[in-house]
Amino acid sequence: MSSDFHIKPEIRILGIDDSALLNEKIMIVGTVFRGGDWIDGILRSDITRDGLDATEVIGTMIKNSRHYSQLRIVMLDGITYGGFNVVDIEELYRKTGLPVIVIMRSYPDLEKIRSALRRFSDGELRWDMIKKAGKIEKLVTKKNRTPIYIQKVGIGAKSAEKIVCLTSIRSNIPEPLRVAHLIATGIIFGESRGKA
Amino acid sequence: MSSDFHIKPEIRILGIDDSALLNEKIMIVGTVFRGGDWIDGILRSDITRDGLDATEVIGTMIKNSRHYSQLRIVMLDGITYGGFNVVDIEELYRKTGLPVIVIMRSYPDLEKIRSALRRFSDGELRWDMIKKAGKIEKLVTKKNRTPIYIQKVGIGAKSAEKIVCLTSIRSNIPEPLRVAHLIATGIIFGESRGKA
């Protein structure tokens, strides 16, 4: 499950972010990047707010894309989308064959998440999905002093770090996620905003 | 009205494209670029299909943006958006103070446009707006053999050419428009498509 591999500067990466919790259906946006430079395509789907369809919807979006055969990595902005719609990253990896790197700006407050999950009848199931996403590792790159935190499946630590470094050229967040965030907020609010 | 000015490699450019004609309201997407490289922000508004509000909506979107004070150029993909909603580029320049460069992939079939405008009660008004957008010039850059056609207001021929060259790094279409097109089609159809 953990492997290091050669990384081309133009490696195709899909970064996925979600939009604000304004409706029952939450838009998710995928950006297909070559390395950190060049946008090759944009994907869009909808998931259910606080539902459990994120893994299925993201997997299908990827497999239906004309970029699928070229993609080598999926990057997620945390593992909960559209509220508490948890992505099962192992399942996503199995379904698509693509390694997944999860990026977090700060170490998640797991106790707070666990507590919030108590209001869900299937809260334990969601908590299990969060736990099995594996170890959360701190990553400080030479270029960026601000640390980020990552989880991964299907890819070794060295390769994951290389890909994060290669693509974090404008901030400490990889470009595929930074731009997915700009698009998701810009389309919904009329102008992009926030942490990107 | 025509002036050449110094162009920094990171000049802030807004590229605007529209989405497909699926509804009465047509989404338009703006990408704020630094030169041809770096996406700074995303704007979104809606115009009326075959309406006459494109100039007003685009002008307001620009002036309300937090990027407004940094923007130096607006790039349009032709001058009709959302069907035959013609942008009055002189008015847009007056309203925003920003020079406008219109990019066209091929020389427009003006007779066909004029003929289509006959079904509008205000077809003559729209035709006048198209005519006053000025001379359509062919532009072949050293990097790109495929010619494009441009119109402009508020900027000299040399500066317009420099900006087109600076930003056309992935194809013969400037990045702000190429990416606006990817976003507009990707968000509406689920995956970006077409001429970008």
Side-chain angles (χ1 to χ4, degrees), chain A:
Chain A
M1 292 285 280
S2 257
S3 60
D4 282 302
F5 52 85
H6 176 66
I7 291 151
K8 290 184 192 167
E10 294 212 337
I11 182 173
R12 300 304 199 280
I13 300 162
L14 177 69
I16 300 174
D17 203 356
D18 57 357
S19 60
L21 299 175
L22 300 180
N23 298 298
E24 264 314 287
K25 285 289 167 188
I26 310 294
M27 181 179 77
I28 55 170
V29 173
T31 60
V32 179
F33 262 78
R34 302 195 190 189
D37 285 332
W38 177 354
I39 302 177
D40 251 358
I42 303 291
L43 307 181
R44 174 252 166 91
S45 270
D46 295 286
I47 59 173
T48 309
R49 179 178 180 159
D50 289 337
L52 259 182
D53 56 357
T55 313
E56 170 67 24
V57 169
I58 291 173
T60 302
M61 178 174 85
I62 291 170
K63 291 183 78 171
N64 285 344
S65 165
R66 62 191 174 94
H67 296 281
Y68 180 39
S69 66
Q70 296 193 302
L71 287 172
R72 294 293 172 269
I73 290 285
V74 176
M75 279 189 181
L76 301 181
D77 181 19
I79 63 167
T80 58
Y81 279 71
F84 286 96
N85 202 328
V86 187
V87 181
D88 182 333
I89 60 173
E90 264 191 33
E91 172 65 21
L92 186 62
Y93 173 50
R94 252 196 314 271
K95 192 179 162 112
T96 63
L98 297 173
V100 178
I101 304 175
V102 179
I103 307 282
M104 288 157 285
R105 285 165 180 81
S106 54
Y107 197 93
D109 186 339
L110 293 170
E111 268 320 301
K112 201 173 158 190
I113 292 169
R114 184 160 201 186
S115 167
L117 285 176
R118 290 206 180 96
R119 69 179 169 91
F120 290 88
S121 59
D122 58 0
E124 280 306 309
L125 171 68
R126 294 174 198 244
W127 179 244
D128 286 344
M129 288 163 74
I130 289 173
K131 273 194 302 184
K132 80 171 185 173
K135 202 179 150 195
I136 298 171
E137 289 160 283
K138 187 173 177 173
L139 182 57
V140 185
T141 66
K142 277 180 199 164
K143 270 190 301 193
N144 296 297
R145 285 188 199 166
T146 315
I148 58 167
Y149 298 85
I150 72 167
Q151 287 169 299
K152 56 192 164 41
V153 59
I155 184 170
K158 273 189 193 170
S159 293
E161 187 174 337
K162 268 188 210 165
I163 290 172
V164 170
C165 286
L166 174 72
T167 56
S168 303
I169 51 181
R170 304 302 182 187
S171 70
N172 66 332
I173 303 301
E175 283 295 286
L177 289 180
R178 190 184 70 85
V179 173
H181 177 78
L182 290 177
I183 296 171
T185 56
I187 293 297
I188 294 297
F189 294 118
E191 174 149 17
S192 48
R193 51 170 81 170
K195 58 201 167 169

Side-chain angles (χ1 to χ4, degrees), chain B residues 76-93:
Chain B
L76 301 181
D77 180 19
I79 63 168
T80 57
Y81 279 71
F84 285 97
N85 202 329
V86 187
V87 181
D88 182 332
I89 60 173
E90 264 191 33
E91 173 65 20
L92 185 63
Y93 172 52

